[in-house]
Every structure is written in C-alpha cells, then in structure tokens.
Amino acid sequence: MSTAGSTEDVLRQVNQFWSMLDDLSQNDPAAYRKFIEKQMEEGAEFSTPPELHSCLRTQILEPKTGLLYINICSWKRVPAPQDLSSSLPVCAGILDTGTKESQGWYAVLDVALNPAVLQESKADKADINNVYMLALSFAQQQHGMRLSQEHSVVNCSPKGSPDDIHRRLGFQIRPNISKQTERVSQTPVALLRQISSLQSEKQDEDCAAQIISRPVEHMKKDLIQVISTTFVEPQKPEYQLEVKTDTAGVPRSVELTVELPKVRSVSECQLRISKDDILLEVEDVYYLLLDLPKTVNEDTASAIFNKKKRRLSLKVDVL
C-alpha cells in the first residue's frame, strides 16, 4: 500500500472517530463525559512524578570501592504486575556519582516500581526485603559492581532531591493542562489533541531503562532480565590524561583533553572534580569517570571548550 493511501486511511479513521464523539456528546452527554474523563485520567497518570519510598546504602567492593545509595521510588508510569506469578516491571535511572570529604567516592541509583507493589510490600517485611534484593542485584548486573552482602536503610542519599531523582529517571514536569471541569465542555477535536498529547508523553518521556525480573520464588542466578530500553547508554569519549612537570621533574599540574564531537556548547557538559577523580557527563551522550594520577587542588581547575574542534581541555594544579 502506498504512503498516500495509508495517510488517507488514517485521516478517514480519525474523521470517523471525531464524528462519533460529536454524536456521543449530543446524544449521550453522560457517556461522553465519562469517556473523556477516563482518557484524560489515564494519560495524566503518566505526568505524575516518581516519589521516594526508601533509600538503601551498601558498600561497593569492585570495580571501585565506595558507597552505593539506591533510591527505591514509587511511580505510576511503571506497569503493575499482571498477577502474583508474573514478572515484576521495574524502571531504573542513570548511575550518578560524586565525592564527599566525609565519606569519599559514592554512587547513586534510582529504581522505580508501581505504587501497588510497594503498598503491598509495606505490610510484609519479607516482601520489601525482596524488593531491596532485586534493586541490589540490578546494580550488580547492570553496572558490573560487586557489592557487600550487608545493606542498611537510611533516610536519604546524596543528590537525593526530587529534581535529582526526576532528572536521572528521565521525568520532565509538563505545564498543567486544563481543569477537569473545563475538559468536558471542549470540542472533541480539542480534547483529542489533549488526549494525544498525554498519550505521547507515555511513549516519548520514558527515557530511563526498563527492566523486568522473574517472580521472587524463582529468583536464582538470573535475577533480572532486561527486556527493553529507550535510554541509550552514554559512551566513553576519547581522552588524554597527562601529568605536567617542571624542569626539575616535579609534578605541577594534571591536564585532561577530551574529544566531544557530539557536543556543540560547553553548557551541555557537567563537570565535577575532586582532589582524586574527575567526572564529565553530557546527558545521554558521554560519561567519563577518571581517577587522577596525582592529588590535585580542585579549586585551581580551569576548563576551555574549543567549539571548532569540539574538544574540552582541563588543567588543575597538583597539591
């Protein structure tokens, strides 16, 4: 079938649907109101942000020692399991890292489940422990970590604000749509546009990795199976890291050059530096975490982005 023919078919179906809604609004206003409210409510669920439920803390043993925080979140966008014997859908965000003077290097991961799953687990300690084990196993398998067998529940994680969690999970706050009382008085065409917009958010905003696990009673070595993702794992850019010395051979500075051909502006880059490591992120594009060969004074760091060559150059003094 030709493209023109396919387009005509779609337009014809849309016109038929609009006509049906016009008839419904005139002949059965109550049914029309119920239909519209149902469609808008279902779409609006996907505009609800994830909410923090609890936070785990454990030790990362490999490949780099530090603390791992896992934020367990409740999110209506994550589907509920069909029944007790079916697999458990889970949504996970990107891994975030940082350094604090009091505890050193750490990583933060957000794992979201349907609110019904966490509500059911609330009354049963064994069930919530299964959720925690699922999250810990995901971190190990997806990010190549070896974790301590011990974990604790803490009040919050570093970078644990709602904005941070939303960013890592790929949630974006949209402007509020019209109130419900106004929706049902709009024309079918206008309402269809709103419904279509909400349904598009279901598909387009879901940029975090989606995973699914086997039922708890069958969890053995294959705890988690990744089934789909619209989140593209950031790539590691090409870089050169050098220690510059003076004429006497004494280390004076550390210089880093990173090739970023997909970056157009330095505003796209997030750069964090501590005395012993450096993190460069370009959301969904690049991720570079490096241990520095020398201890540095992060307050002396300076960076320049060459727009023509798409190259970032950083220099920092050695302590």
Side-chain angles (χ1 to χ4, degrees):
M1 184 180 292
S2 66
T3 303
S6 300
T7 303
E8 290 175 0
D9 289 341
V10 171
L11 290 175
R12 184 168 56 254
Q13 292 174 13
V14 170
N15 286 329
Q16 289 173 350
F17 186 55
W18 285 351
S19 178
M20 180 199 73
L21 283 181
D22 276 329
D23 292 341
L24 189 64
S25 65
Q26 295 176 9
N27 300 327
D28 193 345
Y32 171 76
R33 178 187 294 269
K34 184 177 180 181
F35 172 80
I36 293 300
E37 289 180 352
K38 181 176 184 297
Q39 296 299 315
M40 299 299 287
E41 286 170 3
E42 288 181 353
E45 283 191 356
F46 287 82
S47 298
T48 303
E51 296 181 357
L52 181 64
H53 173 273
S54 53
C55 179
L56 304 181
R57 183 178 64 192
T58 189
Q59 287 281 344
I60 304 174
L61 304 179
E62 291 180 356
K64 180 176 181 177
T65 59
L67 291 175
L68 172 65
Y69 294 86
I70 302 181
N71 292 314
I72 307 297
C73 300
S74 170
W75 200 8
K76 290 182 178 180
R77 188 174 295 183
V78 182
Q82 296 179 356
D83 52 59
L84 293 176
S85 62
S86 64
S87 300
L88 180 64
V90 180
C91 183
I94 59 174
L95 187 70
D96 205 353
T97 60
T99 305
K100 294 181 68 174
E101 291 185 4
S102 59
Q103 64 184 36
W105 184 83
Y106 64 86
V108 182
L109 179 67
D110 309 299
V111 175
L113 300 94
N114 185 273
V117 173
L118 294 172
Q119 186 63 34
E120 291 173 2
S121 302
K122 188 175 181 180
D124 192 326
K125 187 175 180 179
D127 284 348
I128 195 62
N129 283 336
N130 284 329
V131 170
Y132 293 160
M133 293 305 298
L134 170 68
L136 292 165
S137 294
F138 170 78
Q140 291 189 110
Q141 294 183 25
Q142 193 74 0
H143 296 285
M145 297 177 176
R146 186 168 71 87
L147 303 177
S148 167
Q149 294 184 358
E150 297 181 356
H151 68 270
S152 58
V153 179
V154 296
N155 291 330
C156 61
S157 72
K159 302 182 183 179
S161 70
D163 287 344
D164 286 327
I165 293 174
H166 296 170
R167 172 181 57 82
R168 290 190 294 262
L169 284 170
F171 174 80
Q172 295 180 354
I173 297 177
R174 300 280 181 161
N176 290 332
I177 56 177
S178 304
K179 294 181 180 180
Q180 191 176 48
T181 54
E182 297 172 347
R183 297 175 195 151
V184 295
S185 63
Q186 293 176 359
T187 65
V189 173
L191 284 164
L192 275 175
R193 287 174 181 166
Q194 284 196 14
I195 293 169
S196 176
S197 176
L198 285 169
Q199 290 176 340
S200 295
E201 289 180 15
K202 294 181 185 180
Q203 302 169 355
D204 298 337
E205 283 192 358
D206 192 5
C207 64
Q210 293 185 16
I211 62 170
I212 193 163
S213 77
R214 301 180 186 278
V216 173
E217 59 269 23
H218 299 303
M219 288 181 183
K220 293 184 181 179
K221 65 176 182 179
D222 297 325
L223 180 65
I224 295 174
Q225 176 187 7
V226 178
I227 58 168
S228 67
T229 178
T230 54
F231 168 71
V232 179
E233 188 72 21
Q235 68 182 72
K236 186 175 183 179
E238 294 183 5
Y239 69 93
Q240 185 173 1
L241 185 63
E242 295 180 299
V243 176
K244 297 293 185 178
T245 60
D246 60 16
T247 54
V250 177
R252 292 300 183 185
S253 65
V254 174
E255 296 186 7
L256 173 66
T257 303
V258 188
E259 304 296 333
L260 302 170
K262 298 180 181 180
V263 174
R264 295 183 178 181
S265 169
V266 69
S267 63
E268 300 175 44
C269 302
Q270 296 182 32
L271 191 63
R272 302 187 187 98
I273 184 169
S274 71
K275 62 181 181 180
D276 50 19
D277 66 13
I278 186 169
L279 173 64
L280 171 65
E281 289 182 281
V282 179
E283 189 172 1
D284 296 343
V285 181
Y286 294 116
Y287 182 91
L288 181 65
L289 176 63
L290 298 173
D291 289 324
L292 296 174
K294 299 290 181 180
T295 302
V296 301
N297 180 359
E298 58 265 45
D299 294 333
T300 65
S302 61
I304 299 175
F305 181 70
N306 187 315
K307 289 186 177 181
K308 185 176 181 179
K309 296 182 178 180
R310 307 286 178 90
R311 178 183 297 158
L312 181 70
S313 301
L314 180 138
K315 181 179 179 181
V316 60
D317 295 342
V318 173
L319 283 175

